Amino acid sequence: MPTITLPDGKTKSFDRPVTGLDVAQSIGAGLAKAALACKVDGETRDLSFVIANDARVALITLPKPGQPASEDALSLIRHSAAHVMAEAIQDVMGDDVLLAYGPPTDTGFFYDMFVPEGKRLSSERFDEINRRIAEIIKEDRPFTRYELPAEAGLSKLWNEENKYKIDNAERALGKPSSLYKGSKAGADASPAAAHSSAASLSFYATGAPGRNWEDLCRGPHVPSTGRIGAACVLSLASSYWHGDENSDRLTRVYGTAFPTQAELEAFLRQKEEAAKRDHRVIGRNLRLFHIDEDVGQGLILWTPRGSIVRKELQAFIGGELRKQGYTEVFTPHIGRLELYKTSGHFPYYKDSQFAPIIERQALEELSRSGCTCADMLNRVEGVSARLASGINERTGAQTIGPERVLPDDRLVEGFMLKPMNCPHHAKIFASAPHSYRDMPVRLAEFGTVYRWEQSGELNGMTRVRGFTQDDAHLFCTEDQVPGEVQGCLALVKIIFATLGMKEYRVRVGLRDPDSNKYTGSRENWDKAEAACIDAAKSLGVPFSKEPGEAAFYGPKIDFVVKDVIGREWQLGTVQVDYNMAIRFDLSYIGPDNKPHRPVVIHRAPFGSMERFCGVLIEHFAGAFPAWLSPEQVRVLPISEKSLDYGRAVLAALTQGGVRATLDEGNDRIQGKIKVAADLKVPYLLIVGPRDAEQGTVSLRVRGVEKDAGAMPLDAFVGAITSEIADRRADLGVRP
RNA sequence: GCCGCUGUAGCUCAGUGGUAGAGCGCACCCUUGGUAAGGGUGAGGCCGUGGGUUCAAUCCCCACCAGCGGCUCCA
C-alpha cells in the first residue's frame, strides 16, 4: 500500500503496488503521455518499475513543444538511442560485431564495439545505418526489461561469446573479471562498475525478449523506440577496452539523439556552423597565423595580420593593468635547472617539459667519462644537499626526498626552456627588500613558456607547445588576498565585457576535505577559499564550488566562457599560492620589523595569447570588431580613374591612425568587394568620380548586404577613430 | 604517447602501375566597369620523407614525419 510523495510535496496513496506509469496516469493522461521514466527516491527507473513501498517519485518527461528537453530526459533518450544504433549496426554489419559499452554523453552517446578482422566499419555505411535507425524508431518497439539470476544471466552471455558483456556482467555482480587482463584491472574506468554489486543481471529487449534484439544493460530506458524522436550516427573513433592501451582496440561509434527531428537538425547545423568557425581554417584564410612543419608541431608563427590582433589585445590588457597598479617586467625564455628544482616543477613535471639544455662542454665531458644516458638523467635530475635541506627546512616537510640528493660533483647543471614565469618573477621580488608599505607588488609580463604537450593533443592555436601567458604574480600580505583576488576578477570582467563575451561562469577549486596533500595552514586556506568564493559571488555570474580541484598550493578560480554559438571554453585562471614564497624564501618586513611570508597570486585572464586568440577567432568567426581587425578599412576605387582620390582617402585614414589599405587592382568593383568581404574587413570605402567631386566616401559595412550610403571623408575618419579608441564591439559607423 | 583516417600546385580538391589535372590565388595583357568575382594568356608540382616489391611506383607494401578525429594528459 504505497504512499507516493510527489516533487511538489503532495502525496497519493495506492491500495496496491504501482508502476511509474500508474502514478503518472493518476495525475493526468497528458503527463502519462509525456513521461519517459521516473525517479524513485532519487534513482532513475523505467516507467514500468513497480513501486511497492512508500517513496518519493518524480516523473521525467518530454518537454512541451518548443521547450528544450531536460538533461535527464536527453540522457534517457540517448542511452536508448545507443541501443537502437547498436542494433542498426549489427543489422548492417553482422552479429559478429561485438558490443562492449554504450553510454550517453553530454552531447549524445557512443557505443564501443569490436569489429572482427576483415570487416571495417567506415563512414560510408552511415547512411545505411541511419536509415535502419530511423526504421527501428518508427517501429516503436517497447524496451522490455527482464532479469535473470546471476548464474543464468552469465551462462546466457557465455553462450553468446561476447567477452566484453561477460566482463561487464561480472563487474555488475561484483566479481573479479575473468577475462579482462589489463594493467588497470580493478581500477575503475569500467563502465559496469556503476552497477555496484547486484544479485541478478538485467537485459533489455528492443521489443520482445527472445524475438527481438537485446542487450545486457542496467537501464533505465524510455518506454519504446518511438520515444527517441530522432537519432543518427555521427563519427567514428577508436578506444580501448577499459581505456587500457594494452588491451583490445575497439571502434567507438558516436551518435546523438533528440526528442524531435527539428532539434536534431538544429544540432547538426550548429556543428556545421562550428566547423565553419574553425580557427585553423579561418586563421589560414585570413592569414592570421601559420604553423610550419619545419619549425615544429605546436609552435605558432604569428603572421603580420595575426600579430596585429595579438598586439591590440596586449595593449588593451596592458592599459587595464596600469590602471590597477601593475608594473611590467621582462624575463628571459630560459633559466637554470636549479631554479625549477627550487620551484618544485622539475622533475615533478619533467614529462611535460622540453628536455633540459646541457652545455656542450659538460656533455663532452660526460661522454668522455663513459657516462650512460640513464646516469646522466639521474645526475641532471638530482639536487644538492644544500638545496634540499634549505627547501625541506622552509616547507617543514620532506619536500625533496633523500633519493634525489647527489654529491655536488655528480650533479650536471643545465638550463630549461621555462615552463612557467613564476620562478623568474619570484626572483625579481627577492632581488630587493620589501616593506609591508610596498605591498602588494604586482609583476606583469607577457611571458612565453614552453611545455611538451603530447603530440596527439596539439590542436591549432588552442593546444600548443610554446605560448605566451598574459601572466602576473601579485605578492601580497595575507590581509590583501581578498582585495587582490577581487581586483583580478574585476579585470577579467572588463575584458569579457569589451569582447562581447557575455556569458561565462566561474569554477572555484577548493581543497579535497579528505586529503592532506595541501601546503599551508588550515587558517590560511580557510581565508583564501572564503576570499575566492566571495570574489566569485561578487561577479554576479554563475559559479560552482569544486572540492578537490584546488592546486596543492592553494585554491583557484577558473573562467569558462560561452562563445556566440554556445560552446564553452576554459580560459583564464586566478590561483592563490602559499607554497612558492616558502620555497623561494620570499619575505617582506612587517610593521613589527620582522620578516613575513608574502602570499602569491598567479593570474592569467586570457590564459595564453595563442589559445585566447584561437577562441576569439571562433567567437567572432574571424569578423573582429574594428579595433581588433588587422585591416580596418579598405579603399576601393571604382576604376583606375579614381586611384588618385583613393590615395588621398587612404592618406587621410592612415594619418588618423586607422589601419587601411587601397585596392589598386583592376578588378571591377564587385570583385574588389567580394575579396574584401572574404577577408572580413569591417569597413569598405567605395570611391568613384562622384565621391572625388564631393569629398565623400561611399560606405559599405561588413555584414550589411547593401551600400550604406555616402558620407564626408572627415566625418568617416572621425567616427571610425572614436569607435576604435573606445574599443566598441559593434560596427557602428554610418553616414 | 596510443588507435584510426588522411597527405597531389600557395589554398580547396580530382586522378592514374607507364613521372599529372581543375577551380581559386599569383604574373602579364585586354577591359575603366558605382556595390559579393568581366575576358584572355602564362608561370607554378621529386604527387609528405626514406626504404621495399616491380621492366616500370605518385598509385602496392613497410617505416618515419605531419595534419585530422578520438583515447589518455594538462603546473
Side-chain angles (χ1 to χ4, degrees):
Chain A
M1 298 252 258
T3 296
I4 304 299
T5 309
L6 298 166
D8 60 5
K10 287 191 188 135
T11 59
K12 274 187 176 280
S13 293
F14 294 87
D15 54 7
R16 56 184 170 78
V18 288
T19 65
L21 185 62
D22 293 334
V23 175
Q25 265 157 354
S26 76
I27 299 167
L31 182 65
K33 215 176 143 194
L36 294 176
C38 55
K39 266 195 180 175
V40 180
D41 290 331
E43 294 276 324
T44 307
R45 303 286 189 184
D46 290 335
L47 219 45
S48 58
F49 181 75
V50 178
I51 306 159
N53 301 312
D54 293 356
R56 289 176 291 111
V57 173
L59 291 154
I60 298 173
T61 56
L62 277 180
K64 292 193 177 76
Q67 303 278 312
S70 67
E71 268 178 44
D72 282 338
L74 280 176
S75 157
L76 270 163
I77 284 174
R78 289 166 177 173
H79 182 197
S80 300
H83 280 226
V84 172
M85 181 186 77
E87 178 179 347
I89 290 173
Q90 288 192 322
D91 285 350
V92 169
M93 299 283 296
D95 288 348
D96 52 349
V97 169
L98 299 180
L99 303 177
Y101 171 48
T105 64
D106 287 348
T107 56
F109 57 85
F110 63 80
Y111 215 122
D112 283 349
M113 50 191 76
F114 177 79
V115 180
E117 289 288 311
K119 287 199 176 182
R120 207 169 73 84
L121 178 54
S122 82
S123 51
E124 284 158 29
R125 313 293 294 270
F126 282 6
D127 283 348
E128 210 179 335
I129 294 166
N130 282 333
R131 275 198 298 278
R132 187 68 194 121
I133 289 173
E135 282 166 15
I136 298 169
I137 290 175
K138 201 167 173 207
E139 287 164 20
D140 197 20
R141 304 201 299 252
F143 276 91
T144 314
R145 179 191 177 98
Y146 68 94
E147 292 190 20
L148 291 178
E151 288 313 312
L154 275 177
S155 70
K156 170 181 159 66
L157 292 169
W158 278 98
N159 283 334
E160 290 167 7
E161 295 181 344
N162 178 335
K163 66 174 180 175
Y164 309 108
K165 289 291 172 186
I166 294 166
D167 182 69
N168 286 348
E170 285 173 341
R171 287 172 164 265
L173 296 167
K175 291 186 169 191
S177 174
S178 57
L179 294 167
Y180 172 67
K181 304 281 186 267
S183 57
K184 287 188 196 162
D188 233 335
S190 162
H195 279 254
S196 79
S197 280
S200 61
L201 293 172
S202 58
F203 295 80
Y204 277 82
T206 313
R211 252 206 359 252
N212 291 99
W213 189 89
E214 59 182 72
D215 192 10
L216 169 76
C217 181
R218 179 177 55 145
H221 282 285
V222 297
S224 65
T225 58
R227 306 304 294 277
I228 290 167
C232 73
V233 51
L234 292 173
S235 63
L236 293 172
S238 91
S239 66
Y240 301 102
W241 193 22
H242 290 272
D244 173 4
E245 64 184 65
N246 298 311
S247 185
D248 297 10
R249 207 176 65 233
L250 303 173
T251 300
R252 176 167 295 183
V253 190
Y254 282 90
T256 195
F258 286 90
T260 63
Q261 185 67 29
E263 284 163 283
L264 176 64
E265 280 164 17
F267 173 85
L268 294 174
R269 270 198 307 277
Q270 206 236 25
K271 264 181 78 95
E272 268 172 42
E273 178 61 19
K276 271 191 261 169
R277 288 169 175 264
D278 189 323
H279 73 279
R280 294 164 300 189
V281 175
I282 293 178
R284 188 187 303 114
N285 292 342
L286 303 195
R287 302 198 296 273
L288 297 170
F289 68 94
H290 173 65
I291 298 171
D292 195 286
E293 223 179 283
D294 291 336
V295 173
Q297 285 182 283
L299 299 171
I300 304 294
L301 301 176
W302 292 79
T303 49
R305 287 177 160 262
S307 299
I308 289 170
V309 177
R310 170 170 165 173
K311 194 197 69 191
E312 287 293 342
L313 286 168
Q314 292 187 179
F316 165 45
I317 196 167
E320 295 302 322
L321 292 182
R322 276 190 295 280
K323 289 182 205 162
Q324 283 206 5
Y326 285 64
T327 48
E328 195 167 3
V329 297
F330 293 99
T331 67
H333 287 216
I334 64 172
R336 282 178 59 195
L337 261 175
E338 187 163 283
L339 183 70
Y340 303 100
K341 290 175 183 173
T342 303
S343 70
H345 291 95
F346 184 86
Y348 188 64
Y349 288 109
K350 66 173 186 284
D351 291 341
S352 47
Q353 290 170 174
F354 277 85
I357 302 162
I358 312 290
E359 290 157 54
R360 177 164 197 95
Q361 254 185 326
L363 277 178
E364 283 170 357
E365 216 163 284
L366 285 167
S367 161
R368 268 199 301 277
S369 72
C371 174
T372 63
C373 292
D375 188 27
M376 189 177 88
L377 271 181
N378 285 331
R379 291 168 68 170
V380 166
E381 286 168 19
V383 297
S384 69
R386 198 186 51 92
L387 180 69
S389 71
I391 290 174
N392 289 348
E393 192 183 313
R394 290 200 289 277
T395 57
Q398 192 187 287
T399 304
I400 299 181
E403 73 287 350
R404 283 183 53 209
V405 176
L406 287 182
D408 289 6
D409 61 352
R410 300 267 303 152
L411 291 173
V412 175
E413 246 303 345
F415 292 86
M416 266 188 42
L417 273 173
K418 69 178 173 185
M420 64 268 123
N421 302 301
C422 25
H424 286 106
H425 292 182
K427 286 299 187 185
I428 290 176
F429 180 83
S431 68
H434 293 279
S435 153
Y436 71 96
R437 296 170 186 279
D438 312 330
M439 304 287 274
V441 173
R442 307 184 184 94
L443 304 180
E445 177 181 18
F446 288 99
T448 305
V449 299
Y450 299 88
R451 295 178 187 176
W452 185 261
E453 300 288 352
Q454 297 183 59
S455 60
E457 285 313 320
L458 298 172
N459 180 286
M461 296 184 106
T462 58
R463 198 71 188 270
V464 292
R465 284 184 173 160
F467 56 94
T468 302
Q469 297 176 309
D470 57 322
D471 209 358
H473 294 91
L474 315 186
F475 298 83
C476 55
T477 68
E478 278 179 25
D479 295 341
Q480 290 168 336
V481 170
E484 291 305 307
V485 171
Q486 286 277 356
C488 293
L489 299 199
L491 183 64
V492 173
K493 203 167 172 170
I494 292 169
I495 289 167
F496 286 175
T498 305
L499 294 166
M501 299 173 129
K502 295 182 184 74
E503 264 190 274
Y504 59 99
R505 62 189 178 89
V506 166
R507 289 195 301 235
V508 185
L510 305 172
R511 274 168 299 183
D512 175 350
D514 301 325
S515 169
N516 55 6
K517 68 173 183 177
Y518 302 101
T519 306
S521 73
R522 176 176 285 275
E523 303 82 73
N524 284 345
W525 268 90
D526 290 342
K527 275 192 274 181
E529 290 188 346
C532 288
I533 292 166
D534 288 347
K537 272 184 192 160
S538 74
L539 273 175
V541 299
F543 76 98
S544 56
K545 297 181 198 175
E546 318 256 344
E549 291 301 306
F552 70 90
Y553 49 71
K556 64 176 182 181
I557 298 176
D558 289 332
F559 300 93
V560 180
V561 176
K562 217 177 234 188
D563 71 15
V564 286
I565 57 169
R567 292 172 304 173
E568 289 200 321
W569 300 87
Q570 146 96 57
L571 292 171
T573 180
V574 176
Q575 303 182 354
V576 182
D577 182 352
Y578 293 102
N579 192 45
M580 189 168 101
I582 298 171
R583 295 190 72 126
F584 280 101
D585 199 17
L586 304 180
S587 64
Y588 66 92
I589 302 300
D592 56 0
N593 197 31
K594 287 185 181 141
H596 294 267
R597 284 277 176 236
V599 179
V600 180
I601 299 171
H602 308 246
R603 40 106 287 172
F606 289 174
S608 91
M609 298 312 298
E610 283 73 7
R611 185 175 165 79
F612 195 77
C613 285
V615 172
L616 271 191
I617 291 169
E618 305 216 359
H619 177 69
F620 290 123
F624 294 106
W627 69 277
L628 276 175
S629 288
E631 183 180 348
Q632 296 162 324
V633 177
R634 181 173 287 200
V635 182
L636 313 178
I638 290 289
S639 76
E640 277 171 31
K641 289 176 183 160
S642 304
L643 251 181
D644 283 341
Y645 181 60
R647 291 198 181 101
V649 171
L650 178 68
L653 289 162
T654 310
Q655 284 301 306
V658 178
R659 291 186 291 270
T661 61
L662 173 67
D663 187 339
E664 302 194 38
N666 68 353
D667 279 339
R668 290 170 60 200
I669 196 64
Q670 289 86 339
K672 292 178 183 174
I673 290 169
K674 168 79 163 84
V675 168
D678 285 348
L679 284 171
K680 317 236 179 196
V681 178
Y683 294 108
L684 305 184
L685 300 182
I686 285 88
V687 293
R690 265 193 333 250
D691 300 289
E693 204 172 297
Q694 296 165 15
T696 58
V697 291
S698 295
L699 181 63
R700 194 180 168 103
V701 182
R702 182 185 64 209
V704 179
E705 281 295 321
K706 47 178 196 175
D707 182 6
M711 68 193 289
L713 173 59
D714 50 358
F716 177 78
V717 175
I720 191 170
T721 47
S722 80
E723 175 168 312
I724 292 165
D726 295 349
R727 298 196 171 93
R728 286 206 279 271
D730 299 314
L731 304 184
V733 180
R734 295 291 185 285

